[in-house]
Structures are given as structure tokens and as C-alpha cells.
Amino acid sequence: MGDCRYCGEGAGFLRRQHRACAEAFRQGKAGIRDLAARAARRDAFRESALLSDAREIASRSFMSELDLRAAIAAGWREAVKESLSDGVLGKDEEARLRAFRDRMALGMAESGSMGSALDEAAAARLGIEARTAALAVDDGTKLDAFAAALDGSAIAPSARRKLLIGAWESAVESSLEDGCLSLDEEQALVRYLHRFELDARDVDANRAHHMLVQGAVIREAAEGIVPDRLGEVRVPFNLMKSEQLVWVIADVDYLEVRIRRERRGTSHGLSIRVAKGVYYRPGMFRSRPIEWEETVHEDTGLLGITTKHVYFHGRRKRFRVRYDRIVSFDPYDDGIGIMRDAQTARPQTFRTGDGWFVYNLVTNLASR
């Protein structure tokens, strides 16, 4: 005879539980779980009342203290799942769930994957708030509000820094969606960096700071201001006294259009037998010249953009072109093409990897 694992009474031959006892245990566990889930979603709950009600259910459901605690943890996980079901975790929801977890002293093992999900959702919400604060062109009010929310969050220091950088990168991308970075947007983004003690190296792993500077350079050039964002840079160009270096790009492929020529033809005529195994073909051969254009990689080097010229410095090719000697600019995804004002001129292309920036910068400088 075996004893019931729940009530301890005899369960019958080769049996370990009574069906009624097992059902009572299942219902009790579900009841405590639902009770805890409701409590975790309330603005305020009484810990003593929850434990009193839970223990009353446990006493008639053959549940131990460990079983009771496991049911409460399951209820908390259910509350987190319900709060995340709409894809948005509000501040109040997060505060209630964290307060319940802390007061019931639920550990990482008891929180399970829902604990990580709660932290991820909270970080995602803070990331959105950070991005909004970075783009705010007010007097810093939104930035102050976000900083306070961040200080009051449970985000770990290492995760906090990653969140701040990711939000700033997203804000830079958003500010450049219209192809223009306003002065107010630039100042807001810089204010964010100063507030959280981030520098250019921190936020340029994905070239976000580089993009910010490029946006500012284009804005200044469009407004007729000579951009001065390079700092101290040594270049191999012999600049004129009246011009100023604006931007430099390394490892630029320079391509030229070349004309290729060859002669192609055909032969005609009949073969006449003059002896056994010997034939004579008087025939006739005609040919004509064929020409075609081919874009050829000529060199790789340094591209310099100044207030008056486009410079190129490579191992084999070195030259400069005045803006007023350029007939047209051709934008490409990865560079820019130019056509000089000369009868024999052929298209010249500079593959920079960033056609949008170079095209906008050069055309604005050329129109000054």
C-alpha cells in the first residue's frame, strides 16, 4: 500500500496520491497564482493580507511553504506577461511589478525569464525617452526629466551606458532623415552628450558622431558659412592663399572614362583548286574601326574639398579642379562624378563611400 503524497493517508496498491487530493493541490496552486497576479498589478497591495489569504488556500490544498512561494512567483510572472502583452510597459506598471517583487523577495531564479523580459521592456521604454530627450530643442526640460527617470530606474550601470549611446545614435539618424541638420537639433544632441559625459569616441562606433558633423558641415555650407570642423589636418595639397580646406576623405577611388578602339573585319572569296590538295583563295578582307567607352580605375588616394577646388592626390594621379571649371556634378550612392568644361573632357568619378554628403557639400561650396 502506498501513501498519498498530499494527505499522507493510504492511497491504495501502487498509488501515490488520491485523485481528490491532487485536484485540491492543483486548484490551490492556481488560486494562489491568480491572487498574486492580481496583487502585483494593483497600485498598492497589503503584503500581510496576500500572505494570509494565500496561506488559507494552501492549508486546505496540501501545499507546503515552498509550494506557496512558488505559486506566488508564478503569479508575478503571469502579471509581467500580461503587462507586456500590448508591447508597451508603462512607468506605473513597471513600478508596481518591481515593488511586488521586492516586497515578496523574489530572486532571479523565481523571476525566471519574465524578470529579464521586464528589464528589457523597461530599457526599451527608457531608450525611447532618451531618444526623445536627445532630440528636444527646448531649454533642457525634457532632458532633465529623462535624467531623473534614469536615475530612478533599475537599469544596471553597464546597460545604462549602452542605452544612452544607442538612443543618441538613433536620434542622430532621425535628425538627418530630412537631409538637413538644424542648428537647434545639433545643439540638443551636443547637450545630451555633455549631460551624460559622453564624448565623440563613445558615440562614433557606428559613425553616428561623424554623421552629426557631416550634417553640420552641409548646413553651414548651404548657409554661406565656411565650415571649420576639421581641426589640425596635414594634407599634401598646395592650397591657394585665398582658399580654405573644408573636408578630407582618404582611400578614395578615382575613375576615368576611356575610349577603347580596335579594328574588326571579315574576309570574302571562293577557294579554287589548283592541284591535288592545294587550294587558292583570292578573297578580300575588309575592316572597320570600333570604339567604345570604358570606366577605368586610375588610382586611389586622398580627396580634398576646399572653398575653391576639388583636389585629388594619389600615387599616379594628382590634380585639382576649380569649381567654375566644372560643368556638372553627378550624384551616386557611393560617390560623385564631375564633368570639366573642356572640349575633350570625359567624366571623372570619385568613389568616396558616401555620395550624399560629398555631393551636397561640393555643390553648396561651388554655388557660393
Side-chain angles (χ1 to χ4, degrees):
M1 296 288 289
D3 293 335
C4 177
R5 60 185 295 190
Y6 297 110
C7 69
E9 301 294 331
F13 182 66
L14 296 180
R15 300 189 63 176
R16 298 187 57 201
Q17 63 186 30
H18 295 120
R19 182 176 298 177
C21 294
E23 180 62 19
F25 180 85
R26 187 192 66 78
Q27 291 184 3
K29 184 178 179 180
I32 294 175
R33 183 194 63 211
D34 294 343
L35 189 68
R38 289 194 299 272
R41 290 194 293 266
R42 292 196 189 115
D43 288 334
F45 78 98
R46 290 192 302 160
E47 181 181 348
S48 58
L50 171 64
L51 291 175
S52 176
D53 293 343
R55 288 196 173 101
E56 181 180 348
I57 296 174
S59 67
R60 61 174 183 264
S61 304
F62 310 105
M63 297 177 66
S64 67
E65 190 69 20
L66 288 177
D67 293 331
L68 182 150
R69 184 171 180 82
I72 290 176
W76 182 84
R77 294 195 297 271
E78 187 68 25
V80 174
K81 185 177 180 180
E82 177 65 25
S83 296
L84 298 179
S85 62
D86 59 356
V88 179
L89 179 68
K91 292 182 181 179
D92 294 339
E93 288 180 312
E94 180 192 357
R96 289 193 292 267
L97 292 167
R98 291 193 185 279
F100 183 93
R101 183 176 65 177
D102 294 343
R103 289 174 64 179
M104 301 307 296
L106 300 179
M108 292 181 60
E110 293 170 312
S111 300
S113 62
M114 285 297 102
S116 298
L118 176 65
D119 292 340
E120 290 173 3
R125 191 195 68 248
L126 283 171
I128 295 173
E129 294 178 6
R131 177 177 172 277
T132 301
L135 289 170
V137 294
D138 57 14
D139 57 356
T141 302
K142 290 184 179 179
L143 189 60
D144 293 338
F146 166 70
L150 184 63
D151 290 339
S153 72
I155 304 296
S158 57
R160 180 177 301 190
R161 184 175 180 82
K162 182 178 179 181
L163 181 150
L164 289 169
I165 293 174
W168 192 82
E169 291 176 341
S170 178
V172 171
E173 185 176 349
S174 295
S175 67
L176 293 173
E177 283 182 351
D178 59 356
C180 179
L181 177 72
S182 70
L183 180 59
D184 288 340
E185 288 174 329
E186 181 188 2
Q187 291 175 341
L189 289 164
V190 172
R191 187 187 307 125
Y192 178 101
L193 294 181
H194 291 163
R195 180 61 180 269
F196 298 108
E197 299 180 348
L198 300 171
D199 58 28
R201 291 170 297 180
D202 296 324
V203 294
D204 206 40
N206 296 314
R207 295 177 61 82
H209 190 269
H210 189 77
M211 291 168 59
L212 174 72
V213 176
Q214 286 184 331
V217 166
I218 291 175
R219 184 193 68 244
E220 291 173 348
E223 294 175 350
I225 302 171
V226 177
D228 186 15
R229 303 268 180 163
L230 278 181
E232 294 294 329
V233 179
R234 296 185 64 181
V235 293
F237 312 129
N238 184 23
L239 302 180
M240 299 175 64
K241 293 182 180 180
S242 59
E243 69 180 331
Q244 180 178 332
L245 184 65
V246 176
W247 203 257
V248 176
I249 306 173
D251 299 323
V252 174
D253 291 330
Y254 171 62
L255 303 96
E256 288 184 359
V257 172
R258 295 292 188 186
I259 301 297
R260 300 300 188 190
R261 297 180 178 87
E262 70 176 26
R263 299 190 71 85
R264 295 179 183 176
T266 57
S267 62
H268 304 278
L270 298 174
S271 296
I272 303 172
R273 182 179 179 181
V274 295
K276 184 178 180 180
V278 179
Y279 291 83
Y280 170 67
R281 186 178 186 182
M284 179 175 58
F285 182 81
R286 292 180 179 177
S287 67
R288 58 191 176 89
I290 301 296
E291 293 186 356
W292 73 94
E293 291 185 347
E294 182 180 30
T295 301
V296 179
H297 175 260
E298 292 288 348
D299 206 349
T300 298
L302 198 67
L303 181 70
I305 300 172
T306 76
T307 51
K308 292 184 178 296
H309 298 87
V310 172
Y311 285 79
F312 181 80
H313 186 281
R315 294 181 60 185
R316 299 183 301 275
K317 296 283 185 176
R318 299 171 188 178
F319 57 85
R320 65 184 175 192
V321 184
R322 284 174 50 179
Y323 293 135
D324 60 4
R325 294 291 185 267
I326 298 175
V327 176
S328 64
F329 298 97
D330 298 312
Y332 301 112
D333 289 340
D334 60 348
I336 185 173
I338 63 173
M339 178 67 79
R340 299 195 196 202
D341 184 12
Q343 187 173 1
T344 59
R346 298 288 178 182
Q348 298 171 275
T349 303
F350 303 94
R351 189 181 293 154
T352 65
D354 191 348
W356 169 82
F357 170 70
V358 176
Y359 176 80
N360 281 280
L361 177 59
V362 170
T363 52
N364 277 296
L365 289 173
S367 63
R368 291 178 67 249

